[in-house]
Amino acid sequence: ANIMVKQTQYVSKELAARNLQKDLGEDFVKFLGYNPLSKSLDVYLKADYTNNAGIEKFKAQLLKNPMVKEVKYQQSLVDQMNQNLASISLVILAFAGIFIVVSVALINNTIRLAIYSQRFLIKSMQLVGATKSFIRKPFIAYGIWHGLLGGLIAIIILMGTLYFAQTQIPDLVVLQSYTEFGLVFLIVIGIGVLISAVSTFLAVNKFLRLKIYDLYR
């Protein structure tokens, strides 16, 4: 096994003919009277090696095999693809940053409004002798629950988007990495819980510090 290779797929002459017929929309085998295509092996490299340097390294390894006569690939296409991916990644990163800022602001404001409606309850508990940590606990637990729920909803939407993308671009299945997906899902849930917990903590603390007459402002 080669550490650069993610997956390989053997393509017989018959399968190659069917695929080409599907692309052309015509039965060229019937027209020619024979199948001119050869057997082949589709090689899918890992993402870290899908650049000219990685492909050249893999090509050099293949050429060491006496059974391999020649290895060709479209270098210009690889360059263009990597440039496009880099540009798209920057755009996506910029939008993601904007969405994160907006999301944090919305979540924080929503939690602050929810805690604001409970400000008299918070102060009443404090006046009867409840400690600050005792008062915070139910609010933070409630915030964590909502953060967890929001993270799960985000994951469901993300999975639906990925499924739709795979139906449109079947080759995306080959690029899947379940380890990375799992990491992304954990990060999404973790961020949701963290934002909710921190926002709740800060909002409750604000009203714990206020004087009674400030609650009416």
Side-chain angles (χ1 to χ4, degrees):
N2 192 303
I3 61 171
M4 301 174 65
V5 177
K6 180 178 179 64
Q7 181 179 330
T8 58
Q9 181 180 3
Y10 173 74
V11 181
S12 64
K13 294 181 62 173
E14 293 74 18
L15 179 58
R18 287 198 299 270
N19 291 338
L20 186 57
Q21 287 174 7
K22 184 178 179 181
D23 292 337
L24 296 176
E26 297 179 1
D27 188 353
F28 68 93
V29 175
K30 184 177 180 180
F31 176 77
L32 295 175
Y34 71 99
N35 183 0
L37 302 179
S38 303
K39 295 178 287 186
S40 64
L41 188 67
D42 290 343
V43 179
Y44 300 90
L45 299 180
K46 294 179 180 177
D48 293 338
Y49 302 101
T50 53
N51 50 61
N52 280 321
I55 295 175
E56 284 294 331
K57 183 178 179 181
F58 183 65
K59 176 181 176 180
Q61 293 179 6
L62 288 178
L63 291 174
K64 292 179 181 179
N65 191 322
M67 298 178 63
V68 178
K69 181 179 180 181
E70 186 178 20
V71 178
K72 288 185 177 181
Y73 71 96
Q74 293 180 298
Q75 183 175 350
S76 59
L77 180 61
V78 174
D79 287 334
Q80 186 65 39
M81 181 184 67
N82 286 324
Q83 290 175 6
N84 291 339
L85 285 175
S87 301
I88 293 172
S89 297
L90 289 175
V91 173
I92 292 175
L93 184 62
F95 276 106
I98 294 172
F99 286 141
I100 288 174
V101 172
V102 172
S103 298
V104 170
L106 288 174
I107 293 171
N108 184 60
N109 287 337
T110 301
I111 291 175
R112 286 169 64 89
L113 287 173
I115 300 299
Y116 177 80
S117 66
Q118 301 293 326
R119 65 191 186 282
F120 292 109
L121 175 61
I122 292 173
K123 185 55 66 176
S124 297
M125 294 172 67
Q126 192 175 22
L127 290 174
V128 298
T131 62
K132 291 183 178 180
S133 61
F134 180 84
I135 297 172
R136 290 192 201 102
K137 282 181 181 178
F139 291 101
I140 293 177
Y142 190 69
I144 290 175
W145 164 247
H146 277 81
L148 180 62
L149 185 62
L152 290 174
I153 293 173
I155 288 174
I156 292 172
I157 294 174
L158 180 59
M159 291 179 65
T161 303
L162 290 173
Y163 176 78
F164 175 76
Q166 289 175 10
T167 59
Q168 302 300 313
I169 310 175
D171 287 342
L172 283 178
V173 176
V174 180
L175 301 177
Q176 283 185 354
S177 173
Y178 293 105
T179 301
E180 293 177 359
F181 283 167
L183 183 61
V184 169
F185 293 163
L186 289 176
I187 290 174
V188 169
I189 292 178
I191 290 176
V193 170
L194 180 64
I195 293 174
S196 298
V198 171
S199 296
T200 302
F201 178 85
L202 295 176
V204 173
N205 268 3
K206 175 185 176 181
F207 293 108
L208 286 174
R209 292 193 301 267
L210 289 179
K211 302 297 182 181
I212 295 178
Y213 52 81
D214 290 329
L215 298 177
Y216 295 93
R217 295 182 179 180

